[in-house]
Amino acid sequence: MLKEKIEAALNDQLNFEFYSAYIYLSMSAYFESIDLKGCSQWMKAQTQEEMLHAMKFFDFIAERGGRVMLKQIDSPETQWESPLKAFENALHHEGIVTEKINHLMDLAQQEKDHATQIFLQWFISEQVEEEASVNAVVQRLKLAGDNPGPLFMLDRDLSARVFTMPASGSDPT
Ligand code: FEO
């Protein structure tokens, strides 16, 4: 059985993953509005990643005999000054997610909840990838500066990103 403290913290993270999905879907809409279809597609795939993360928490809470409690999801921002600002915002957001996952791990360790620690291990590795992939785009946008050529090339490259559901569904193993 899950301890109440852990159950509450896992539910909070579940909510935050849905919030992340919302932020990236809002960024996708922003990129659509400025005709950067590749960036929009990249953000759509990122949204699906976040939904998968949320569902991993959902399944884990249920599997451990806990109760999933869905909460209100905050409204995301809708407008950014530039593509670079949007991706910088995404990078900042991923830093917050990493901190939250680390705090969850600290709590699971304090509470000697070994199963939750093993579950969170996947997210700790995932966050390294999440930050790296957003940062790679931030760096290319910085290099592109105000030049439309490199920006359109980047947009074309980002259009190739597709979300693929892992073969094991939402199973974190
Ligand atoms: Fe679910 Fe991008 O962290």
Side-chain angles (χ1 to χ4, degrees), residues 109-126:
Q109 284 170 346
Q110 279 160 25
E111 297 294 321
K112 300 190 184 346
D113 183 336
H114 297 163
T116 298
Q117 288 173 46
I118 291 167
F119 169 72
L120 290 172
Q121 207 69 58
W122 183 90
F123 283 91
I124 288 175
S125 309
E126 175 74 358

Side-chain angles (χ1 to χ4, degrees), residues 13 16-18 20-21 24 46 49-54 57 90 93-95 97-98 101 122-123 126-127 130-131 134:
Q13 190 61 35
F16 205 72
E17 299 292 343
F18 277 126
S20 305
Y24 296 133
Q46 187 63 24
E49 282 274 337
E50 300 303 346
M51 299 290 288
L52 174 72
H53 296 172
F57 279 95
H93 182 77
E94 286 304 324
V97 177
T98 300
I101 296 286
W122 183 90
F123 283 91
E126 175 74 358
Q127 279 313 116
E130 291 271 286
E131 288 194 43
V134 183

Side-chain angles (χ1 to χ4, degrees), residues 40-56:
S40 175
Q41 166 60 26
W42 195 96
M43 284 296 175
K44 261 185 215 152
Q46 187 63 24
T47 300
Q48 288 172 296
E49 282 274 337
E50 300 303 346
M51 299 290 288
L52 174 72
H53 296 172
M55 290 313 294
K56 283 180 189 285

Side-chain angles (χ1 to χ4, degrees), residues 3-33:
K3 286 186 183 168
E4 247 176 62
K5 236 190 214 178
I6 301 273
E7 184 186 65
L10 291 170
N11 268 307
D12 276 351
Q13 190 61 35
L14 191 165
N15 178 270
F16 205 72
E17 299 292 343
F18 277 126
Y19 177 52
S20 305
Y22 233 39
I23 290 175
Y24 296 133
L25 195 56
S26 186
M27 287 181 179
S28 177
Y30 158 71
F31 283 120
E32 280 289 337
S33 77

